[in-house]
Amino acid sequence: MNMNIAVAGTGYVGLVAGVCFAEVGHQVMCVDIDKEKVEVMKAGISPIYEDGLEELMQKNNAEGRIDYTTDYQKAYREADAIFIGVGTPERSDGSADLTYIATVARQIAESVVKDCLVVVKSTVPVGTNDKVEQFIQDFLVNDVKVEVASNPEFLAQGTAVYDTLHAKRIIIGSESTWAEDRLMEIYQPFHLPIVSVNRRSAEMIKYASNDFLALKISYMNDIANLCELVGADIQDVAEGMSYDERIGAKFLNAGIGYGGSCFPKDTKALDYIAKQNGYALDTVKAAIDVNKKQRIMLFTKASKRLITLNGLKVAVLGLTFKPGTDDLREAPSLDNVPLLLEQGADIYAYDPVGASNFAKVYPEGKNGNGRITYVDQAAEALEDANVCFIFTEWGEIKAIEPDTYKRLMRTPLIYDGRNIYKVQDMERAGAEYHSIGRQAVMRKEVKEISEHELQTH
Ligand code: NAD
């Protein structure tokens, strides 16, 4: 049966969920506090970059199954279900900030006039759903039934729409058959596997899954660093490991560490929950520690290799935390660019979609000791550059031929944080190539950039 669904928060999770609910036939009202965003969405424009999202928005906007508003009372009043997809950012102590969740819970309590299921999609610490339910009861204005269920989200940015429509599983965490049945009914048209558990287990499934993936990445990065020291190649090692089904072939890529809006905060939040409960979650702590070092691994390597970065033209290829998204949250570029600027680098940055967001943090022109210029083509960044850092494996960046670095750069010295190229291909092209977990290709003639060259640059 089609239901009246309200979605609180139109970020990566809320908007994609709302649009996909509309796509399978539900009547959806998306709520956000950001007026500008609401106007943009009403016009059929997606405020975020996600493959296929805008097309689905336009289709469902036109067919009248979805609308957008800042008027939460109107949206929540008669909803059969209200999904909460607002942010739960990291606090300075590592714990999750639940302020936005609490605001929505209170707004719901003051608005609903009929029985309603509230579904928490945001990633929240174990026990939060209990508190949200209590909070709503405390502030409830009308005599109606409101229950809370957990439905954590597993989409990955860049493939969010596909991941929602083809999710590997839907997790339902509920404390009554009424809540369970209503949520099952909402998801019935998706025809996806459903795992139904209690609320606390559902909340834990989300953290346990994300932190396991973060741990897998940090483990491979740790092994990669050892590979460099002992003469092994992490990509060969990963391939050899991948045939073991107990290990699996995914998430074995070494690189400059995990970023994005989830892994960094969710590892810290679970570590915090463990500490609060008097338990030391050593595995997750190790993932966090390895990642911290890994994110500046390339800069550390370059600092050892070069006398200085002061006055050098530095090409930065890729700014977003991964390809397919304009999201910069916890992107490794945000750790490295300030270090490069502090050293006085003259940065030319290229990213197919993330440059304008990055420019909000580091405006074009002089920045501290250095400068930053945003360019529309990777070739412009590489032209006459002394050093190149690759932070994101966008298709446009992977398509650059090894020879291009040699041809365009003043000194083809490359630090690749995503292991895009085969070491042999870079060697053949005559570039000096440093990557993660593999042996570096050195070029004697560019070993040191002379003072003379620095002055004439
Ligand atoms: P986001 O920051 O992109 O979006 C949050 C939205 O909520 C913003 O548009 C904001 O304006 C809006 N908002 C804030 N207060 C509001 C209120 N009172 N009423 C209505 N709207 C309000 O967040 P996100 O990346 O979509 O993440 C949301 C949650 O989902 C987080 O808990 C996150 O950990 C989790 N999650 C995110 C992803 C991901 O890939 N981004 C994946 C799985 C889970």
Side-chain angles (χ1 to χ4, degrees), residues 8-14 31-34 37 76 85-88 100 103-104 107 121-123 153-157 206 261-262 265-266 329:
T10 57
Y12 292 86
V13 166
V31 183
D32 208 290
I33 47 172
D34 187 333
K37 223 175 180 181
Y76 301 154
V86 295
T88 49
Y100 301 104
T103 304
V104 176
Q107 291 169 338
K121 244 195 180 312
S122 304
T123 304
E153 180 55 64
F154 295 91
L155 63 79
Q157 282 176 230
K206 176 61 193 171
S261 65
C262 293
K265 84 171 168 59
D266 293 349
R329 287 180 283 187

Side-chain angles (χ1 to χ4, degrees), residues 146-450:
V146 181
E147 279 192 32
V148 174
S150 166
N151 172 223
E153 180 55 64
F154 295 91
L155 63 79
Q157 282 176 230
T159 51
V161 172
Y162 180 90
D163 292 350
T164 304
L165 295 173
H166 303 90
K168 291 272 182 273
R169 79 309 203 180
I170 303 292
I171 302 292
I172 286 178
S174 59
E175 298 296 323
S176 77
T177 47
W178 180 80
E180 185 188 20
D181 289 349
R182 189 164 280 206
L183 209 37
M184 290 262 194
E185 213 174 315
I186 291 169
Y187 276 109
Q188 192 277 329
F190 287 84
H191 305 294
L192 295 166
I194 291 179
V195 180
S196 183
V197 296
N198 71 21
R199 282 197 303 224
R200 285 174 180 242
S201 300
E203 292 168 323
M204 186 53 121
I205 287 169
K206 176 61 193 171
Y207 279 113
S209 302
N210 265 9
D211 290 14
F212 184 78
L213 294 175
L215 188 53
K216 205 170 172 186
I217 294 171
S218 275
Y219 177 75
M220 290 311 286
N221 285 336
D222 219 11
I223 295 292
N225 298 338
L226 185 59
C227 280
E228 283 180 29
L229 297 172
V230 298
D233 181 309
I234 191 64
Q235 282 183 325
D236 292 344
V237 171
E239 198 202 336
M241 291 166 69
S242 70
Y243 286 85
D244 188 330
E245 284 171 8
R246 293 169 304 176
I247 295 170
K250 294 196 174 143
F251 268 69
L252 294 181
N253 291 336
I256 36 167
Y258 57 76
S261 65
C262 293
F263 291 170
K265 84 171 168 59
D266 293 349
T267 41
K268 287 181 207 152
L270 195 60
D271 182 45
Y272 184 88
I273 295 167
K275 270 193 219 131
Q276 255 190 332
N277 285 277
Y279 187 74
L281 201 57
D282 291 335
T283 48
V284 172
K285 239 179 93 45
I288 296 168
D289 292 344
V290 169
N291 199 56
K292 201 169 165 204
K293 280 185 270 167
Q294 199 67 19
R295 288 161 65 93
I296 53 161
M297 189 57 78
L298 290 184
F299 178 80
T300 310
K301 281 185 188 184
S303 303
K304 285 183 189 156
R305 162 71 176 76
L306 293 158
I307 305 170
T308 178
L309 282 150
N310 188 25
L312 298 192
K313 176 172 176 182
V314 176
V316 165
L317 303 185
L319 297 166
T320 56
F321 86 92
K322 70 172 187 174
T325 179
D326 57 350
D327 198 352
L328 290 171
R329 287 180 283 187
E330 301 276 345
S333 61
L334 287 171
D335 290 280
N336 288 281
V337 165
L339 293 172
L340 294 168
L341 289 171
E342 194 183 305
Q343 292 249 328
D346 187 10
I347 296 174
Y348 281 70
Y350 164 74
D351 189 288
V353 303
S356 56
N357 279 347
F358 205 85
K360 289 177 195 154
V361 193
Y362 293 100
E364 180 150 286
K366 192 155 169 49
N367 266 277
N369 301 327
R371 286 184 64 81
I372 188 160
T373 307
Y374 298 94
V375 292
D376 295 332
Q377 301 291 330
E380 280 178 73
L382 291 173
E383 185 89 53
D384 225 17
N386 299 102
V387 193
C388 170
F389 287 88
I390 301 173
F391 293 135
T392 321
E393 67 278 34
W394 282 99
E396 290 88 337
I397 295 169
K398 287 201 304 200
I400 302 168
E401 294 291 337
D403 288 344
T404 308
Y405 295 93
K406 170 77 174 158
R407 188 166 45 80
L408 293 180
M409 291 177 72
R410 187 179 177 96
T411 45
L413 173 54
I414 297 135
Y415 290 89
D416 177 1
R418 301 298 178 179
N419 287 354
I420 285 178
Y421 297 100
K422 287 200 174 113
V423 172
Q424 299 86 330
D425 290 348
M426 282 307 219
E427 192 164 24
R428 214 170 296 127
E432 177 168 340
Y433 182 60
H434 300 263
S435 54
I436 307 279
R438 305 181 300 172
Q439 302 312 297
V441 177
M442 301 299 285
R443 282 180 72 244
K444 286 200 182 64
E445 68 266 34
V446 293
K447 202 141 199 174
E448 279 177 7
I449 290 166
S450 67

